[in-house]
Amino acid sequence: MVPAKLMDYFNKQPRIGVLSTASRDGKVDAAVFGSPQMTDEKTVVMALGENRTFKYLRENPNAIFTIVEQGETIMDWKGLRVYLRMKEYATSGEMLDTYQREIARVVGEEAAAMIHAVVTFEVGEVRPLVDMGQGWESSV
Protein backbone atom coordinates (compact mmCIF):
# COMPACT_ATOMS: atom_id res chain seq x y z
CA MET A 1 0.00 0.00 0.00
CA VAL A 2 1.28 3.47 -0.86
CA PRO A 3 2.27 5.32 2.37
CA ALA A 4 -0.11 8.27 1.81
CA LYS A 5 -3.01 5.87 1.25
CA LEU A 6 -1.97 3.92 4.35
CA MET A 7 -2.17 7.12 6.41
CA ASP A 8 -5.64 7.91 5.04
CA TYR A 9 -6.84 4.38 5.72
CA PHE A 10 -5.22 4.15 9.16
CA ASN A 11 -6.57 7.53 10.33
CA LYS A 12 -10.10 7.08 8.93
CA GLN A 13 -12.77 7.49 11.61
CA PRO A 14 -14.77 5.93 12.98
CA ARG A 15 -12.71 2.78 13.19
CA ILE A 16 -11.31 0.46 15.78
CA GLY A 17 -8.50 -2.00 15.66
CA VAL A 18 -6.70 -4.52 17.80
CA LEU A 19 -3.16 -4.00 19.09
CA SER A 20 -1.42 -7.33 19.67
CA THR A 21 1.66 -7.48 21.89
CA ALA A 22 3.78 -10.17 23.54
CA SER A 23 5.82 -10.15 26.72
CA ARG A 24 9.51 -11.01 26.85
CA ASP A 25 8.61 -14.63 27.65
CA GLY A 26 5.92 -15.01 24.97
CA LYS A 27 2.69 -14.24 26.84
CA VAL A 28 0.35 -12.54 24.37
CA ASP A 29 -2.18 -9.77 24.71
CA ALA A 30 -4.71 -8.20 22.34
CA ALA A 31 -6.53 -4.96 23.13
CA VAL A 32 -9.10 -2.89 21.21
CA PHE A 33 -8.16 0.71 20.39
CA GLY A 34 -9.81 3.48 18.43
CA SER A 35 -7.31 6.27 19.04
CA PRO A 36 -4.00 5.39 17.29
CA GLN A 37 -3.00 7.93 14.66
CA MET A 38 -0.39 7.92 11.93
CA THR A 39 1.42 11.24 12.14
CA ASP A 40 3.57 10.58 9.08
CA GLU A 41 4.25 7.70 6.69
CA LYS A 42 6.39 5.79 9.21
CA THR A 43 5.04 6.85 12.62
CA VAL A 44 2.05 5.81 14.74
CA VAL A 45 1.20 7.49 18.05
CA MET A 46 -1.06 5.87 20.64
CA ALA A 47 -2.24 6.61 24.17
CA LEU A 48 -2.14 3.79 26.72
CA GLY A 49 -3.24 3.22 30.27
CA GLU A 50 -1.05 1.63 32.91
CA ASN A 51 -2.01 -1.82 31.69
CA ARG A 52 -0.79 -5.15 30.29
CA THR A 53 -0.31 -3.71 26.80
CA PHE A 54 2.07 -1.04 28.08
CA LYS A 55 3.89 -3.54 30.31
CA TYR A 56 4.44 -5.94 27.41
CA LEU A 57 5.65 -3.18 25.09
CA ARG A 58 8.33 -2.22 27.60
CA GLU A 59 9.47 -5.86 27.63
CA ASN A 60 9.15 -6.43 23.86
CA PRO A 61 8.75 -3.38 21.57
CA ASN A 62 7.14 -5.30 18.67
CA ALA A 63 3.40 -5.15 18.03
CA ILE A 64 0.77 -5.51 15.32
CA PHE A 65 -2.21 -3.18 14.87
CA THR A 66 -5.02 -4.92 12.97
CA ILE A 67 -7.76 -2.84 11.36
CA VAL A 68 -10.96 -4.61 10.27
CA GLU A 69 -13.86 -3.24 8.24
CA GLN A 70 -16.99 -5.36 8.00
CA GLY A 71 -18.24 -6.25 4.54
CA GLU A 72 -21.54 -7.60 3.31
CA THR A 73 -20.10 -11.14 3.25
CA ILE A 74 -16.94 -12.48 4.89
CA MET A 75 -15.13 -12.26 1.53
CA ASP A 76 -15.99 -8.54 1.38
CA TRP A 77 -14.32 -7.72 4.71
CA LYS A 78 -11.32 -5.38 4.39
CA GLY A 79 -8.44 -4.49 6.61
CA LEU A 80 -4.74 -4.40 7.26
CA ARG A 81 -2.13 -5.72 9.65
CA VAL A 82 0.38 -2.99 10.46
CA TYR A 83 3.59 -4.27 12.04
CA LEU A 84 5.00 -1.79 14.55
CA ARG A 85 8.06 -1.32 16.74
CA MET A 86 7.92 1.01 19.76
CA LYS A 87 10.51 3.78 19.45
CA GLU A 88 9.75 5.74 22.61
CA TYR A 89 7.15 6.48 25.25
CA ALA A 90 6.35 9.36 27.58
CA THR A 91 4.71 9.02 31.00
CA SER A 92 5.17 12.72 31.77
CA GLY A 93 6.00 15.94 29.98
CA GLU A 94 4.69 17.98 27.08
CA MET A 95 3.93 15.06 24.75
CA LEU A 96 1.69 13.39 27.34
CA ASP A 97 0.09 16.68 28.42
CA THR A 98 -0.75 17.61 24.82
CA TYR A 99 -2.29 14.20 24.11
CA GLN A 100 -4.34 14.28 27.33
CA ARG A 101 -5.69 17.77 26.49
CA GLU A 102 -6.78 16.56 23.04
CA ILE A 103 -8.43 13.43 24.44
CA ALA A 104 -10.22 15.55 27.08
CA ARG A 105 -11.50 17.87 24.35
CA VAL A 106 -12.75 15.03 22.13
CA VAL A 107 -13.84 12.33 24.58
CA GLY A 108 -13.86 13.97 28.01
CA GLU A 109 -11.83 14.47 31.16
CA GLU A 110 -12.51 10.96 32.49
CA ALA A 111 -10.96 9.34 29.40
CA ALA A 112 -7.99 11.72 29.51
CA ALA A 113 -7.33 10.83 33.16
CA MET A 114 -6.94 7.14 32.20
CA ILE A 115 -3.99 7.87 29.89
CA HIS A 116 -0.72 6.85 31.52
CA ALA A 117 1.60 7.01 28.51
CA VAL A 118 1.88 8.16 24.93
CA VAL A 119 3.75 5.66 22.78
CA THR A 120 5.44 6.30 19.44
CA PHE A 121 5.86 3.40 17.02
CA GLU A 122 7.74 3.00 13.77
CA VAL A 123 5.85 1.23 10.96
CA GLY A 124 7.82 -1.72 9.66
CA GLU A 125 5.58 -3.80 7.42
CA VAL A 126 2.00 -3.70 6.16
CA ARG A 127 0.11 -6.85 5.18
CA PRO A 128 -3.48 -7.43 4.08
CA LEU A 129 -6.05 -8.62 6.59
CA VAL A 130 -6.39 -11.94 4.79
CA ASP A 131 -3.31 -13.25 3.03
CA MET A 132 -4.12 -16.46 1.18
CA GLY A 133 -1.19 -16.09 -1.23
CA GLN A 134 2.41 -16.88 -0.47
CA GLY A 135 5.13 -14.34 -0.10
CA TRP A 136 3.04 -11.16 -0.38
CA GLU A 137 4.65 -8.59 1.86
CA SER A 138 4.96 -4.87 1.66
CA SER A 139 7.34 -2.73 3.61
CA VAL A 140 6.29 0.86 3.98
Side-chain angles (χ1 to χ4, degrees):
M1 179 172 274
V2 176
K5 288 187 179 192
L6 174 61
M7 282 184 64
D8 291 343
Y9 188 80
F10 195 102
N11 292 335
K12 182 170 50 171
Q13 291 293 336
R15 67 99 173 87
I16 61 169
V18 176
L19 183 70
S20 300
T21 57
S23 69
R24 159 181 328 119
D25 58 352
K27 293 179 185 166
V28 295
D29 182 55
V32 174
F33 287 90
S35 63
Q37 293 293 304
M38 285 191 81
T39 57
D40 63 42
E41 293 140 359
K42 294 288 279 178
T43 307
V44 171
V45 178
M46 179 182 297
L48 298 174
E50 192 169 6
N51 54 27
R52 182 181 298 173
T53 299
F54 185 54
K55 176 181 186 261
Y56 284 6
L57 283 168
R58 286 176 292 171
E59 294 178 10
N60 174 358
N62 299 298
I64 299 173
F65 188 68
T66 304
I67 303 167
V68 180
E69 289 185 13
Q70 184 176 350
E72 200 169 304
T73 70
I74 194 70
M75 296 306 291
D76 296 326
W77 285 44
K78 296 186 288 184
L80 293 174
R81 295 174 287 163
V82 182
Y83 290 70
L84 304 169
R85 182 170 181 86
M86 183 176 68
K87 294 187 329 188
E88 65 181 334
Y89 65 87
T91 57
S92 64
E94 184 59 32
M95 189 165 125
L96 179 64
D97 294 343
T98 299
Y99 214 93
Q100 285 176 321
R101 279 193 301 273
E102 181 62 17
I103 294 296
R105 184 184 69 76
V106 174
V107 186
E109 294 290 335
E110 190 174 322
M114 294 188 308
I115 298 172
H116 175 73
V118 175
V119 178
T120 303
F121 295 96
E122 181 176 22
V123 175
E125 182 181 359
V126 178
R127 298 190 67 195
L129 179 63
V130 177
D131 185 2
M132 300 303 284
Q134 292 187 3
W136 186 92
E137 294 183 2
S138 172
S139 294
V140 176

